[in-house]
Amino acid sequence: MKHRILIADDDEAARSGLADLLSSWGYEVEQAIDGKDALEKAPEFGPAVVIADLVMPALDGVALLKPLAEVYPNAVVILLTGHATVETAVSAMREGAYDYLTKPVDPRRLRVLLDKAVERGAVQREVTLLRRQLRESRGFGPLLGASPPMQEVYRLIELAGASSAPVLITGETGTGKELVARTIHQMSERGKGPFVAVNCSAIPETLMESELFGHEKGAFTGAHERKAGFFELADGGTIFLDEITEMSPALQVKYLRILQDGVVRRIGGKNEIKVDVRIIAATNRDAAQAVKDKAFREDLYYRINVLAIVLPALRRRGQDIPLLVEAFIAEFNEKYGRHVKAVDETAMMRLRDHAWPGNVRELRNIIERAVVGCSEELITPTFLPLGIAPAERREQGDSVLLPLGTTLEQGERELILRTLESVKNNKTRAAVILGTTPKTLHNKTRRWRMAKES
Amino acid sequence: MESLRGTMYEKALGRRPGQKILLADDDPDSLEGLRALLEAWGYEVEIARDGRAALERMPVVCPSAVITDVVMPRMTGLELLEAIRRDRSAVPVIVMTAHGTVEARRHAAAMGAVAYLPKPIDTTHLRSILQRALAGVGRDAGS
């Protein structure tokens, strides 16, 4: 295959000389008289490499980089420079130029550089293509959805993946906060490091401190051994703190110190341990409101909120439902050895009308049940729980509808989760309503979570 | 505090050379939190603990934007805004407050504040306001 190279230089003699040289090496060459001209010619010509002079009247080599990346991101750019401007060329590399050559061009160096550049360009094109496919077709990595709100989420994930700044993910239960956190982690330069997920509301407050920060042997009754905390375990990686707004004020102060100083101290420990941990926090509450209510520290709020990602509720992206349904059917066909093809039209209408308080997780559970229960190729409304009802019934109020065939355990779970939702996850209030103790609720929710994770 | 700037926040979202922000707030939590946030976004931040201190820092710092609380001792944020405009400075000013009134908002708007934000600030909103206000002042590497 003949690789195409575009040369942009206002010096006619230098340009055609270079063009002749490259042609003799077997490249297909096009010439542009300045940056502006190159910008117009690049998309049509489709070069693997653009060689641009640093100094040109209309749009110089550096100014060319950004607009070129927009109209034609597939080219690798090599800049040509006189001796005096090496510094500019170095800064241009920071802006995205691949490399630079000083004039007069040393043919041997140019040839080596071109070989590398062409190879690099191929990789770059592949990445661009892959990324576009990921986005346009179904979603982004493990995340599914092509709707505009999800596109915005993907954009933010990419931004977060390229940095090590703290991120705050806000979203209702079941919208995939942990999945987003994992994706950011994997995309980041610490992707090979550990990913430690901690649910701040699941661990009793008395244990939280030792879980997060670790303890020395004999630090308190029951501390038989020295134990590393989550922050230490996550060293070199990412810690994901879910339900961050449920953290007690005392812990918030300690946590703030980690953010400020990057050090932890085990309970009973004398030394501070330096940790390199990226923090991703999540909440299903309005964090700003929690600050107003004085439940969450304002300084902490700003510090974890460097990048805010808001995950849309499923009812706000109903257009993604068919795609999600299709993916989940495929998943559970595989898992249970079923041969379900799709959901029928009426069932799909029901699914699109449902309010989805449990979001994607709820949809996934329902499709799982339907696939298991369905003996035919099409899922009809009879295989959906009664709760997935036409819109007018759903709007009637806060009731839990359990279809016949629900097990006691499933029913209990549904009732507890819906009650928790209705009181914004306040376990004490939920316990009062359900006539049980916060401890029992806590144990049950923890068991479900562990079952989910294993 | 210093070590943090070296580790977690430094270079977090790209530098914005030359984009200095003067931040005035008498609440230390809010001040330090916002300072860390703005630095994480790549801005240089100068702080002042009240309006008078901020006004005195203005000619030294030459900020690209000012973010000020309203209720502060010695000089309020609105008085600061007024003084800045009296000096014929067109620097973008963002006013924030935990207890906003319609009157204060109108006043801030009349004095040419670019935004009037309730506290705690919606950080995404603040970021886009800053990016818009500073467009042309320097390259925005953050988006």
Side-chain angles (χ1 to χ4, degrees), chain A residues 163 259-260 299 301 303 305-306, chain B residues 4 9 12 29 36 41 121 123:
Chain A
S163 91
L259 274 174
Q260 284 177 349
D299 44 0
Y301 167 79
R303 279 178 193 274
N305 219 341
V306 173
Chain B
L4 155 78
Y9 287 88
D29 279 0
W41 288 344
I121 288 179
T123 60

Side-chain angles (χ1 to χ4, degrees), chain B residues 5-103:
Chain B
R5 294 195 185 121
T7 57
M8 231 171 274
Y9 287 88
E10 189 80 21
K11 288 201 294 186
L13 288 165
R15 306 264 72 167
R16 291 170 172 75
Q19 297 204 335
K20 253 189 228 166
I21 292 175
L22 180 59
L23 177 65
D25 198 333
D26 62 325
D27 173 2
D29 279 0
S30 173
L31 187 69
E32 282 307 323
L34 274 171
R35 188 227 288 249
L37 179 74
L38 292 165
E39 286 180 348
W41 288 344
Y43 298 108
E44 274 179 60
V45 182
E46 290 278 338
I47 55 170
R49 292 179 197 282
D50 61 54
R52 174 77 47 82
L55 191 60
E56 284 163 9
R57 301 286 293 148
M58 281 292 293
V60 189
V61 177
C62 291
S64 314
V66 176
I67 301 178
T68 179
D69 191 21
V70 171
V71 185
M72 291 184 292
R74 298 214 294 169
M75 179 186 269
T76 70
L78 292 177
E79 286 163 354
L80 170 66
L81 174 59
E82 247 184 271
I84 289 173
R85 294 296 181 243
R86 254 201 315 274
D87 288 345
R88 304 193 175 280
S89 162
V91 64
V93 177
I94 295 168
V95 178
M96 56 185 182
T97 176
H99 320 279
T101 62
V102 178
E103 194 47 47

Side-chain angles (χ1 to χ4, degrees), chain A residues 1-203:
Chain A
M1 180 188 149
K2 242 180 161 181
H3 290 293
R4 283 184 293 271
I5 295 178
L6 177 64
I7 303 170
D9 195 337
D10 57 318
D11 179 349
E12 213 265 305
R15 190 178 68 225
S16 55
L18 191 56
D20 289 345
L21 180 66
L22 293 179
S23 303
S24 75
W25 289 344
Y27 290 108
E28 197 181 328
V29 182
E30 170 72 275
Q31 304 182 32
I33 55 162
D34 55 30
K36 210 163 150 266
D37 192 24
L39 211 51
E40 278 164 22
K41 283 180 172 154
E44 206 173 311
F45 180 57
V49 180
V50 174
I51 301 177
D53 191 20
L54 197 56
V55 187
M56 289 184 287
L59 217 54
D60 65 40
V62 177
L64 171 66
L65 290 169
K66 226 179 168 178
L68 180 66
E70 270 163 34
V71 298
Y72 184 71
N74 293 339
V76 173
V77 181
I78 295 173
L79 292 174
L80 297 179
T81 164
H83 270 293
T85 47
V86 167
E87 267 176 33
T88 323
V90 170
S91 77
M93 284 176 66
R94 268 187 228 126
E95 304 269 322
Y98 174 63
D99 209 335
Y100 68 94
L101 282 172
T102 44
K103 280 178 166 180
V105 173
D106 172 358
R108 269 177 320 186
R109 235 180 89 58
L110 175 62
R111 192 147 195 189
V112 172
L113 196 55
L114 277 179
D115 283 345
K116 275 199 305 184
V118 165
E119 191 181 317
R120 153 82 171 256
V123 173
Q124 193 169 317
R125 268 192 303 282
E126 212 167 284
V127 171
T128 314
L129 192 70
L130 206 64
R131 200 168 270 173
R132 193 175 305 153
Q133 279 176 350
L134 271 174
R135 279 187 171 204
E136 283 175 4
S137 56
R138 315 180 57 86
F140 186 79
L143 297 159
L144 289 167
S147 58
M150 287 309 283
Q151 297 292 336
E152 175 63 8
V153 169
Y154 304 151
R155 191 183 72 81
L156 291 170
I157 289 175
E158 271 187 299
L159 191 62
S163 91
S164 58
V167 179
L168 179 67
I169 304 170
T170 309
E172 292 180 10
T173 172
T175 45
K177 296 186 285 289
E178 184 168 340
L179 201 56
V180 168
R182 274 184 198 279
T183 310
I184 293 172
H185 168 71
Q186 278 155 11
M187 286 185 65
S188 75
E189 56 182 21
R190 28 184 91 229
K192 289 208 166 64
F195 178 88
V196 177
V198 184
N199 187 321
C200 299
S201 76
I203 301 167

